[in-house]
Amino acid sequence: MTTVLDLQRFKDEHRRFAVITAYDFLSARILDEAGIPVLLVGDSLGMVMLGHPTTLPVTLDEMLHHAKAVARGSRQALLVGDMPFMSYHVSTEQAITSAGRFVQEGGMHAVKLEGGGRVVEITRRLTELGIPVMGHLGLTPQFVHQMGGFKVQGKSRAQADRILADAKALEQAGAFSLVLEGTPAELAARVTGAVGIPTIGIGAGAGTDGQVLVFHDLLGITTGKAPKFVKRYANLADEMTRAVTRFAQEVGNGTFPGPEHEYAANGAAPASHDAAAASEHKEAREEVKYGAG
Ligand code: KIV
């Protein structure tokens, strides 16, 4: 299984690594079997899966619901649960309780927290308690209203210095890695050189140790204009539309279901089956299953 120590080794050996979001059992299984070392149950699920305009409405209970499904689908990946808005903002005690639920109930191996400042102390406490923390600086979506929108951060000298200082403070506090989102590429590269822990970029250029993308973005399931930093490695939205349209057409014109999709009564094959298929049918003692299992 991938651990936080492996990520550190990747950085030390200059091996870049991929991180992808996962929100459900099946996608976690696909990603895990593809050998993706880190799966992030991101609070982006509030936008991608639940249709909210920001990540702010997502609750800890909703995150845990998805985290549990991802944990059931994964065997080898390091699983990181994203602490949602207001699950660590009230007090350090609240942060410990929320992070503990992610590990104990959600099956996560680590948690991610947005921001520097007070989050540094929370990171220290969680790390002391054996809960690894992934930091998140730059464009931190939980600060959307304070940032005045989803805007690139760290363009000014003052902002860049602040991000660099927060990155060093999070490392000092024990964070095992750091997401850098929506920052100029030069700044992300500078932070990556200035800290010993691995950095993971999204919209932060090629100079970080790892890269993270939202699963649905990279597969082209999310529709509309993608942000500049997204590369679509497939166009599954179109593919899905084609498939469901064809299904509806075949239902309409009676070509689906065909004889091969039918069950026979009392173990006998449907009349339209040939002999080989019929004996296969008998032996199979058909189990009705939803999904490929
Ligand atoms: O919620 C999320 O998916 C994230 C990643 C984009 C880093 O925080």
Side-chain angles (χ1 to χ4, degrees), residues 19 21 23 40-45 48 55 63 82 112 114 134 136 141 179-181 200-202 212-214 229:
V19 179
T21 63
Y23 312 126
L40 171 67
V41 184
D43 63 355
S44 52
L45 71 82
V48 178
T55 58
M63 290 299 297
D82 208 359
K112 178 168 83 57
E114 292 186 11
M134 176 181 275
H136 184 161
V179 168
L180 295 171
E181 176 168 358
I200 301 159
I202 175 162
V212 55
L213 278 180
V214 167
F229 61 82

Side-chain angles (χ1 to χ4, degrees), residues 21-23 40-60 62-63 66 80-89 102 112-114 136 140-143 150 181 214:
T21 63
Y23 312 126
L40 171 67
V41 184
D43 63 355
S44 52
L45 71 82
M47 298 169 82
V48 178
M49 303 294 285
L50 306 179
H52 294 300
T54 69
T55 58
L56 303 186
V58 184
T59 65
L60 180 59
E62 284 169 337
M63 290 299 297
H66 288 269
V80 183
D82 208 359
M83 299 267 274
F85 186 60
M86 282 300 139
S87 70
Y88 57 102
H89 300 63
F102 256 125
K112 178 168 83 57
L113 280 74
E114 292 186 11
H136 184 161
T140 42
Q142 290 174 12
F143 291 73
F150 296 104
E181 176 168 358
V214 167

Side-chain angles (χ1 to χ4, degrees), residues 113-228:
L113 280 74
E114 292 186 11
R118 208 177 58 80
V119 169
V120 172
E121 185 48 30
I122 299 173
T123 299
R124 190 185 322 279
R125 288 296 304 280
L126 292 178
T127 306
E128 275 169 10
L129 296 171
I131 302 178
V133 174
M134 176 181 275
H136 184 161
L137 296 173
L139 194 173
T140 42
Q142 290 174 12
F143 291 73
V144 59
H145 297 313
Q146 200 165 320
M147 294 182 301
F150 296 104
K151 297 203 169 112
V152 173
Q153 301 293 303
K155 283 186 162 185
S156 72
R157 177 76 193 266
Q159 271 187 358
D161 287 348
R162 181 66 208 250
I163 290 171
L164 187 60
D166 280 340
K168 288 180 180 169
L170 286 168
E171 177 182 25
Q172 280 291 312
F176 73 93
S177 64
L178 184 60
V179 168
L180 295 171
E181 176 168 358
T183 71
E186 308 75 45
L187 173 61
R190 208 170 125 215
V191 173
T192 301
V195 295
I197 54 174
T199 59
I200 301 159
I202 175 162
T208 52
D209 301 302
Q211 293 287 332
V212 55
L213 278 180
V214 167
F215 181 66
H216 298 66
D217 283 344
L218 80 89
L219 291 181
I221 304 177
T222 39
T223 51
K225 193 174 177 319
K228 184 180 181 187

